[in-house]
Amino acid sequence: AKAPVNVTVTGAAGQIGYALLFRIASGQLLGPDTPVKLRLLEIPQAVKAAEGTAMELEDCAFPLLQGIDITDDLAKAFDGTNVALLVGARPRTKGMERGDLLQANGGIFKPQGRAINDHAADDVRVLVVGNPANTNALIAQANAPDVPAERFTAMTRLDHNRALSQLAGKLQVPVSEIRKMTIWGNHSATQYPDLFHTEVNGKTAAEQVEQEWLRDTFIPTVAKRGAAIIEARGASSAASAANAAIDHVFDWVNGTPEGDWTSAAIPSDGSYGVPEGLISSFPVVSRDGRWEIVQGLEIDAFSREKIDASVAELAEERDAVKELGLV
Ligand code: NAX
Protein backbone atom coordinates (compact mmCIF):
# COMPACT_ATOMS: atom_id res chain seq x y z
CA ALA A 1 0.00 0.00 0.00
CA LYS A 2 1.09 3.58 -0.65
CA ALA A 3 2.43 5.63 2.25
CA PRO A 4 0.05 8.32 3.49
CA VAL A 5 0.60 11.91 2.36
CA ASN A 6 0.53 14.57 5.07
CA VAL A 7 -1.81 17.41 4.14
CA THR A 8 -1.93 20.55 6.27
CA VAL A 9 -4.91 22.88 6.05
CA THR A 10 -4.76 26.25 7.80
CA GLY A 11 -7.98 28.03 8.68
CA ALA A 12 -9.50 24.57 8.87
CA ALA A 13 -12.55 25.72 10.83
CA GLY A 14 -13.49 28.34 8.24
CA GLN A 15 -15.99 27.99 5.45
CA ILE A 16 -13.50 26.98 2.76
CA GLY A 17 -12.00 24.50 5.21
CA TYR A 18 -15.41 22.94 5.72
CA ALA A 19 -15.87 22.51 1.98
CA LEU A 20 -12.30 21.32 1.43
CA LEU A 21 -11.53 18.77 4.12
CA PHE A 22 -14.14 16.21 3.14
CA ARG A 23 -12.98 16.22 -0.45
CA ILE A 24 -9.35 15.78 0.59
CA ALA A 25 -10.27 12.91 2.88
CA SER A 26 -12.34 11.24 0.15
CA GLY A 27 -9.31 11.10 -2.15
CA GLN A 28 -10.08 13.91 -4.57
CA LEU A 29 -6.96 15.96 -3.79
CA LEU A 30 -4.35 13.32 -4.59
CA GLY A 31 -6.24 10.51 -6.23
CA PRO A 32 -8.15 7.39 -5.18
CA ASP A 33 -5.04 5.33 -4.30
CA THR A 34 -3.35 7.80 -1.95
CA PRO A 35 -4.07 7.67 1.79
CA VAL A 36 -3.94 11.01 3.60
CA LYS A 37 -3.18 12.26 7.08
CA LEU A 38 -4.73 15.62 7.87
CA ARG A 39 -3.17 18.35 10.00
CA LEU A 40 -5.58 21.12 10.85
CA LEU A 41 -4.11 24.45 11.96
CA GLU A 42 -6.36 27.01 13.62
CA ILE A 43 -6.06 29.94 15.96
CA PRO A 44 -6.75 28.96 19.61
CA GLN A 45 -10.32 30.34 19.60
CA ALA A 46 -11.26 28.15 16.62
CA VAL A 47 -9.58 24.88 17.65
CA LYS A 48 -12.83 23.63 19.17
CA ALA A 49 -14.74 24.26 15.96
CA ALA A 50 -12.00 22.42 14.03
CA GLU A 51 -12.46 19.52 16.43
CA GLY A 52 -16.13 19.50 15.51
CA THR A 53 -15.23 19.25 11.83
CA ALA A 54 -12.81 16.44 12.67
CA MET A 55 -15.65 14.56 14.40
CA GLU A 56 -17.67 14.78 11.21
CA LEU A 57 -14.68 13.62 9.18
CA GLU A 58 -14.46 10.55 11.43
CA ASP A 59 -18.16 9.98 10.93
CA CYS A 60 -17.62 9.69 7.18
CA ALA A 61 -15.37 6.66 7.75
CA PHE A 62 -13.30 7.58 4.68
CA PRO A 63 -11.13 4.57 3.80
CA LEU A 64 -8.21 6.82 2.74
CA LEU A 65 -8.15 8.98 5.87
CA GLN A 66 -5.43 7.70 8.18
CA GLY A 67 -5.45 10.35 10.87
CA ILE A 68 -6.39 13.88 11.88
CA ASP A 69 -4.31 16.15 14.10
CA ILE A 70 -5.66 19.50 15.23
CA THR A 71 -3.36 22.17 16.57
CA ASP A 72 -2.67 25.86 17.02
CA ASP A 73 1.06 25.15 16.98
CA LEU A 74 2.88 25.89 13.72
CA ALA A 75 5.70 23.40 14.27
CA LYS A 76 3.21 20.56 14.79
CA ALA A 77 0.98 21.66 11.95
CA PHE A 78 3.78 21.60 9.37
CA ASP A 79 5.82 18.69 10.76
CA GLY A 80 6.56 16.46 7.78
CA THR A 81 3.88 18.06 5.66
CA ASN A 82 3.86 17.22 1.96
CA VAL A 83 1.00 19.47 0.88
CA ALA A 84 0.21 22.71 2.70
CA LEU A 85 -3.01 24.52 1.89
CA LEU A 86 -2.78 27.97 3.44
CA VAL A 87 -6.38 29.07 3.64
CA GLY A 88 -6.62 31.03 6.91
CA ALA A 89 -5.88 34.72 6.47
CA ARG A 90 -6.81 38.10 7.86
CA PRO A 91 -9.71 39.49 5.81
CA ARG A 92 -9.94 43.15 4.89
CA THR A 93 -12.37 44.89 7.20
CA LYS A 94 -14.06 48.25 6.71
CA GLY A 95 -11.69 51.18 6.65
CA MET A 96 -8.59 48.98 6.53
CA GLU A 97 -5.79 50.38 4.37
CA ARG A 98 -3.80 48.08 2.11
CA GLY A 99 -0.70 48.53 4.29
CA ASP A 100 -2.63 47.36 7.37
CA LEU A 101 -3.95 44.36 5.46
CA LEU A 102 -0.48 43.37 4.26
CA GLN A 103 0.96 43.85 7.72
CA ALA A 104 -1.73 41.72 9.37
CA ASN A 105 -1.23 38.95 6.83
CA GLY A 106 2.52 39.22 7.17
CA GLY A 107 1.97 38.33 10.82
CA ILE A 108 0.40 35.07 9.61
CA PHE A 109 2.40 34.12 6.51
CA LYS A 110 5.87 35.03 7.73
CA PRO A 111 5.83 32.57 10.66
CA GLN A 112 4.06 29.98 8.52
CA GLY A 113 6.80 30.28 5.88
CA ARG A 114 9.44 29.78 8.58
CA ALA A 115 7.61 26.78 10.03
CA ILE A 116 7.36 25.22 6.56
CA ASN A 117 11.07 25.89 6.09
CA ASP A 118 11.97 24.21 9.37
CA HIS A 119 9.51 21.35 9.60
CA ALA A 120 7.94 20.38 6.27
CA ALA A 121 8.92 17.35 4.17
CA ASP A 122 11.53 17.85 1.43
CA ASP A 123 8.91 17.54 -1.29
CA VAL A 124 6.49 20.07 0.27
CA ARG A 125 4.11 21.84 -2.08
CA VAL A 126 2.35 24.99 -0.88
CA LEU A 127 -0.86 26.51 -2.20
CA VAL A 128 -1.92 29.86 -0.76
CA VAL A 129 -5.66 30.51 -0.92
CA GLY A 130 -5.97 33.19 1.79
CA ASN A 131 -6.01 36.72 0.40
CA PRO A 132 -4.14 38.69 -0.78
CA ALA A 133 -3.06 35.27 -2.03
CA ASN A 134 -0.17 36.15 -4.37
CA THR A 135 1.56 38.40 -1.90
CA ASN A 136 0.87 36.11 1.05
CA ALA A 137 2.57 33.37 -0.97
CA LEU A 138 5.51 35.69 -1.63
CA ILE A 139 5.84 36.40 2.10
CA ALA A 140 5.78 32.69 2.98
CA GLN A 141 8.25 31.86 0.20
CA ALA A 142 10.68 34.60 1.19
CA ASN A 143 10.72 33.23 4.73
CA ALA A 144 11.47 29.67 3.63
CA PRO A 145 14.92 30.03 2.06
CA ASP A 146 15.67 26.28 2.23
CA VAL A 147 12.59 25.32 0.21
CA PRO A 148 12.81 25.76 -3.58
CA ALA A 149 10.85 28.92 -4.46
CA GLU A 150 8.81 27.05 -7.08
CA ARG A 151 7.05 25.09 -4.34
CA PHE A 152 5.13 28.23 -3.32
CA THR A 153 2.06 28.96 -5.40
CA ALA A 154 -1.12 31.00 -5.09
CA MET A 155 -4.58 30.14 -6.33
CA THR A 156 -6.05 31.62 -9.49
CA ARG A 157 -7.76 28.37 -10.45
CA LEU A 158 -11.11 29.64 -9.21
CA ASP A 159 -10.79 32.61 -11.57
CA HIS A 160 -9.79 30.18 -14.33
CA ASN A 161 -12.83 27.97 -13.70
CA ARG A 162 -15.11 31.00 -13.55
CA ALA A 163 -13.74 32.12 -16.92
CA LEU A 164 -14.33 28.67 -18.44
CA SER A 165 -17.89 28.66 -17.24
CA GLN A 166 -18.69 32.19 -18.45
CA LEU A 167 -17.28 31.39 -21.89
CA ALA A 168 -19.11 28.06 -22.09
CA GLY A 169 -22.36 29.88 -21.35
CA LYS A 170 -21.67 32.51 -23.99
CA LEU A 171 -20.76 30.04 -26.74
CA GLN A 172 -23.29 27.44 -25.62
CA VAL A 173 -20.68 24.69 -25.46
CA PRO A 174 -19.82 22.31 -22.64
CA VAL A 175 -16.86 23.41 -20.54
CA SER A 176 -15.07 20.27 -21.74
CA GLU A 177 -14.91 21.73 -25.28
CA ILE A 178 -12.73 24.64 -24.11
CA ARG A 179 -8.93 24.47 -24.06
CA LYS A 180 -6.17 26.84 -23.06
CA MET A 181 -7.89 29.41 -20.89
CA THR A 182 -5.48 31.77 -19.13
CA ILE A 183 -5.67 34.02 -16.09
CA TRP A 184 -2.73 36.44 -15.89
CA GLY A 185 -1.47 38.47 -12.94
CA ASN A 186 -2.90 38.99 -9.50
CA HIS A 187 -5.88 37.24 -7.89
CA SER A 188 -7.63 40.59 -7.57
CA ALA A 189 -9.89 42.82 -9.61
CA THR A 190 -6.94 43.59 -11.93
CA GLN A 191 -6.54 39.97 -13.05
CA TYR A 192 -6.69 39.41 -16.80
CA PRO A 193 -8.68 36.48 -18.17
CA ASP A 194 -7.29 36.03 -21.71
CA LEU A 195 -9.39 34.56 -24.54
CA PHE A 196 -6.88 35.20 -27.33
CA HIS A 197 -5.23 31.79 -26.94
CA THR A 198 -8.29 29.91 -25.77
CA GLU A 199 -9.49 27.28 -28.23
CA VAL A 200 -13.07 26.24 -28.85
CA ASN A 201 -14.12 24.17 -31.88
CA GLY A 202 -10.70 24.59 -33.50
CA LYS A 203 -10.74 28.41 -33.40
CA THR A 204 -9.72 30.96 -30.78
CA ALA A 205 -12.47 32.02 -28.41
CA ALA A 206 -11.68 35.69 -29.01
CA GLU A 207 -12.75 35.45 -32.66
CA GLN A 208 -16.05 33.83 -31.71
CA VAL A 209 -17.29 36.54 -29.35
CA GLU A 210 -17.92 40.26 -29.87
CA GLN A 211 -15.02 42.45 -28.78
CA GLU A 212 -17.44 44.47 -26.61
CA TRP A 213 -18.56 41.33 -24.80
CA LEU A 214 -14.98 40.28 -24.21
CA ARG A 215 -13.97 43.72 -22.93
CA ASP A 216 -17.07 44.98 -21.13
CA THR A 217 -18.79 41.81 -19.94
CA PHE A 218 -16.46 38.82 -19.81
CA ILE A 219 -13.42 40.39 -18.16
CA PRO A 220 -15.32 42.32 -15.46
CA THR A 221 -17.72 39.43 -14.78
CA VAL A 222 -14.83 37.05 -14.10
CA ALA A 223 -12.84 39.62 -12.13
CA LYS A 224 -15.82 40.67 -9.98
CA ARG A 225 -17.42 37.26 -9.57
CA GLY A 226 -16.29 37.01 -5.96
CA ALA A 227 -18.18 40.18 -5.08
CA ALA A 228 -21.27 38.93 -6.96
CA ILE A 229 -21.23 35.70 -4.92
CA ILE A 230 -21.03 37.68 -1.67
CA GLU A 231 -23.93 39.85 -2.84
CA ALA A 232 -26.09 36.80 -3.66
CA ARG A 233 -25.10 34.37 -0.89
CA GLY A 234 -24.36 36.75 1.90
CA ALA A 235 -21.04 34.92 2.26
CA SER A 236 -17.95 34.59 0.12
CA SER A 237 -17.22 31.72 -2.28
CA ALA A 238 -16.43 28.59 -0.33
CA ALA A 239 -17.30 25.36 -2.15
CA SER A 240 -16.06 26.74 -5.47
CA ALA A 241 -12.86 27.96 -3.84
CA ALA A 242 -12.33 24.55 -2.25
CA ASN A 243 -13.00 22.92 -5.60
CA ALA A 244 -10.38 25.10 -7.26
CA ALA A 245 -7.82 24.25 -4.58
CA ILE A 246 -8.49 20.55 -5.23
CA ASP A 247 -8.04 21.09 -8.99
CA HIS A 248 -4.78 23.01 -8.48
CA VAL A 249 -3.10 20.42 -6.27
CA PHE A 250 -4.46 17.44 -8.22
CA ASP A 251 -2.98 18.81 -11.46
CA TRP A 252 0.28 19.79 -9.77
CA VAL A 253 0.76 16.24 -8.51
CA ASN A 254 -0.79 14.29 -11.39
CA GLY A 255 -0.02 16.50 -14.41
CA THR A 256 -2.20 18.52 -16.79
CA PRO A 257 -3.79 16.83 -19.80
CA GLU A 258 -1.88 16.80 -23.12
CA GLY A 259 -3.00 19.64 -25.40
CA ASP A 260 -4.34 21.82 -22.63
CA TRP A 261 -3.06 24.07 -19.88
CA THR A 262 -4.38 25.74 -16.75
CA SER A 263 -3.71 28.85 -14.66
CA ALA A 264 -1.71 29.13 -11.45
CA ALA A 265 0.20 31.88 -9.72
CA ILE A 266 3.82 30.72 -9.52
CA PRO A 267 7.16 32.53 -9.03
CA SER A 268 8.01 34.31 -12.27
CA ASP A 269 11.21 33.41 -14.12
CA GLY A 270 10.89 36.66 -16.08
CA SER A 271 8.64 35.16 -18.76
CA TYR A 272 6.27 37.55 -20.54
CA GLY A 273 7.95 40.57 -18.97
CA VAL A 274 6.79 39.65 -15.45
CA PRO A 275 9.60 40.63 -13.05
CA GLU A 276 11.46 37.59 -11.76
CA GLY A 277 10.30 36.42 -8.35
CA LEU A 278 6.81 37.92 -8.38
CA ILE A 279 4.17 35.25 -7.77
CA SER A 280 1.95 35.94 -10.73
CA SER A 281 -0.64 33.91 -12.61
CA PHE A 282 0.47 32.38 -15.92
CA PRO A 283 -0.69 29.76 -18.39
CA VAL A 284 0.97 26.65 -16.96
CA VAL A 285 1.32 22.95 -17.56
CA SER A 286 2.32 20.45 -14.91
CA ARG A 287 4.92 17.85 -15.89
CA ASP A 288 6.67 15.42 -13.53
CA GLY A 289 5.22 17.20 -10.53
CA ARG A 290 6.40 20.69 -11.51
CA TRP A 291 4.64 23.70 -12.96
CA GLU A 292 6.07 25.09 -16.20
CA ILE A 293 5.06 28.37 -17.79
CA VAL A 294 3.72 27.90 -21.33
CA GLN A 295 6.19 29.72 -23.56
CA GLY A 296 5.99 31.54 -26.85
CA LEU A 297 2.47 32.96 -26.78
CA GLU A 298 1.98 36.12 -28.78
CA ILE A 299 0.71 38.95 -26.64
CA ASP A 300 -1.10 41.74 -28.49
CA ALA A 301 -1.29 45.36 -27.32
CA PHE A 302 -4.66 44.90 -25.60
CA SER A 303 -3.45 41.92 -23.57
CA ARG A 304 -0.08 43.56 -22.89
CA GLU A 305 -1.72 46.52 -21.21
CA LYS A 306 -3.95 44.31 -19.06
CA ILE A 307 -1.11 42.00 -17.99
CA ASP A 308 1.16 44.96 -17.22
CA ALA A 309 -1.50 46.63 -15.06
CA SER A 310 -2.04 43.54 -12.92
CA VAL A 311 1.69 42.85 -12.65
CA ALA A 312 2.28 46.48 -11.63
CA GLU A 313 -0.15 45.93 -8.76
CA LEU A 314 1.81 42.84 -7.68
CA ALA A 315 5.05 44.80 -7.82
CA GLU A 316 3.50 47.49 -5.61
CA GLU A 317 2.35 44.88 -3.11
CA ARG A 318 5.85 43.39 -3.10
CA ASP A 319 7.41 46.81 -2.52
CA ALA A 320 4.97 47.44 0.34
CA VAL A 321 5.77 44.16 2.10
CA LYS A 322 9.47 44.78 1.54
CA GLU A 323 9.12 48.11 3.27
CA LEU A 324 7.34 46.37 6.14
CA GLY A 325 10.26 43.94 6.46
CA LEU A 326 8.11 40.94 5.61
CA VAL A 327 10.16 39.67 2.67
P1 NAX B 1 -13.32 32.12 7.05
O1 NAX B 1 -13.25 33.42 7.76
O2 NAX B 1 -14.59 31.35 7.02
O3 NAX B 1 -12.20 31.14 7.64
C1 NAX B 1 -10.91 31.54 7.87
C2 NAX B 1 -10.37 30.70 9.01
O4 NAX B 1 -8.99 30.97 9.15
C3 NAX B 1 -11.03 30.99 10.35
O5 NAX B 1 -11.51 29.78 10.91
C4 NAX B 1 -9.89 31.60 11.17
O6 NAX B 1 -9.98 31.25 12.55
C5 NAX B 1 -8.69 30.96 10.51
N1 NAX B 1 -7.43 31.68 10.73
C6 NAX B 1 -7.22 33.01 10.81
N2 NAX B 1 -5.93 33.27 11.07
C7 NAX B 1 -5.31 32.08 11.15
C8 NAX B 1 -3.98 31.69 11.42
N3 NAX B 1 -3.04 32.60 11.68
N4 NAX B 1 -3.69 30.37 11.42
C9 NAX B 1 -4.63 29.45 11.21
N5 NAX B 1 -5.92 29.76 10.96
C10 NAX B 1 -6.26 31.06 10.94
O7 NAX B 1 -12.78 32.42 5.58
P2 NAX B 1 -12.97 31.55 4.25
O8 NAX B 1 -14.24 31.91 3.61
O9 NAX B 1 -12.71 30.12 4.58
O10 NAX B 1 -11.80 32.16 3.34
C11 NAX B 1 -10.44 31.97 3.66
C12 NAX B 1 -9.57 32.83 2.78
O11 NAX B 1 -9.72 32.49 1.41
C13 NAX B 1 -9.86 34.33 2.85
O12 NAX B 1 -8.64 35.04 2.94
C14 NAX B 1 -10.51 34.62 1.51
O13 NAX B 1 -10.33 35.96 1.12
C15 NAX B 1 -9.77 33.66 0.62
N6 NAX B 1 -10.35 33.35 -0.68
C16 NAX B 1 -9.51 33.19 -1.73
C17 NAX B 1 -9.96 32.84 -2.98
C18 NAX B 1 -9.01 32.65 -4.13
O14 NAX B 1 -9.49 32.43 -5.24
N7 NAX B 1 -7.69 32.72 -3.97
C19 NAX B 1 -11.40 32.68 -3.26
C20 NAX B 1 -12.20 32.43 -2.03
C21 NAX B 1 -11.79 33.19 -0.81
O15 NAX B 1 -12.36 34.48 -0.88
Side-chain angles (χ1 to χ4, degrees):
K2 259 180 150 176
V5 172
N6 294 320
V7 179
T8 301
V9 177
T10 75
Q15 43 150 14
I16 294 176
Y18 195 74
L20 185 58
L21 290 166
F22 297 85
R23 296 191 57 186
I24 298 171
S26 73
Q28 293 177 49
L29 186 76
L30 299 163
D33 306 321
T34 309
V36 290
K37 280 191 172 166
L38 284 170
R39 301 272 164 71
L40 314 187
L41 179 72
E42 260 297 350
I43 53 176
Q45 318 73 291
V47 162
K48 183 139 190 253
E51 285 168 359
T53 304
M55 289 163 70
E56 284 203 72
L57 283 161
E58 286 172 15
D59 294 350
C60 296
F62 288 118
L64 291 172
L65 183 56
Q66 295 203 349
I68 312 172
D69 290 321
I70 304 156
T71 183
D72 60 3
D73 181 286
L74 290 173
K76 284 189 191 137
F78 293 111
D79 182 35
T81 199
N82 306 106
V83 178
L85 302 171
L86 309 187
V87 179
R90 173 70 164 82
R92 190 189 286 260
T93 39
K94 256 207 182 108
M96 203 176 188
E97 300 290 334
R98 188 177 63 177
D100 302 333
L101 180 75
L102 294 171
Q103 176 108 57
N105 279 292
I108 296 173
F109 288 88
K110 191 172 174 170
Q112 288 185 0
R114 282 216 196 99
I116 288 168
N117 190 69
D118 295 348
H119 303 286
D122 287 345
D123 69 346
V124 66
R125 290 179 168 91
V126 182
L127 170 62
V128 177
V129 174
N131 282 319
N134 301 54
T135 297
N136 288 341
L138 183 70
I139 294 168
Q141 181 259 308
N143 288 283
D146 303 334
V147 178
E150 64 176 32
R151 306 288 186 72
F152 286 84
T153 65
M155 190 168 91
T156 51
R157 186 62 171 263
L158 177 54
D159 309 299
H160 178 98
N161 288 343
R162 286 166 171 166
L164 286 175
S165 190
Q166 291 298 319
L167 180 65
K170 171 70 175 173
L171 294 179
Q172 293 292 302
V173 297
V175 166
S176 57
E177 298 286 304
I178 305 174
R179 303 263 179 284
K180 304 183 177 174
M181 179 65 72
T182 305
I183 304 292
W184 297 92
N186 200 1
H187 168 69
S188 76
T190 67
Q191 65 175 265
Y192 172 49
D194 178 356
L195 294 185
F196 290 92
H197 306 285
T198 307
E199 296 170 1
V200 187
N201 298 324
K203 286 188 288 187
T204 74
E207 62 187 307
Q208 298 175 68
V209 299
E210 309 83 41
Q211 287 311 293
E212 297 71 39
W213 180 83
L214 188 157
R215 193 185 57 223
D216 302 331
T217 302
F218 173 73
I219 295 173
T221 299
V222 172
K224 294 180 190 158
R225 185 72 167 176
I229 299 285
I230 292 172
E231 178 67 28
R233 255 189 108 225
S236 58
S237 319
S240 56
N243 178 69
I246 297 272
D247 285 350
H248 177 114
V249 173
F250 186 90
D251 284 355
W252 194 355
V253 171
N254 295 294
T256 41
E258 210 46 57
D260 200 0
W261 67 59
T262 187
S263 304
I266 69 172
S268 176
D269 60 359
S271 293
Y272 298 103
V274 180
E276 201 176 331
L278 285 182
I279 298 188
S280 188
S281 189
F282 288 99
V284 291
V285 294
S286 162
R287 299 270 177 271
D288 305 320
R290 301 170 59 143
W291 291 118
E292 292 168 16
I293 297 170
V294 174
Q295 296 297 332
L297 301 179
E298 248 175 72
I299 307 297
D300 71 2
F302 177 83
S303 296
R304 188 73 263 167
E305 194 183 314
K306 300 272 184 208
I307 295 169
D308 288 351
S310 194
V311 168
E313 183 183 55
L314 283 174
E316 279 172 30
E317 289 181 15
R318 179 197 53 196
D319 293 347
V321 295
K322 228 182 220 166
E323 212 149 281
L324 293 166
L326 298 170
V327 301

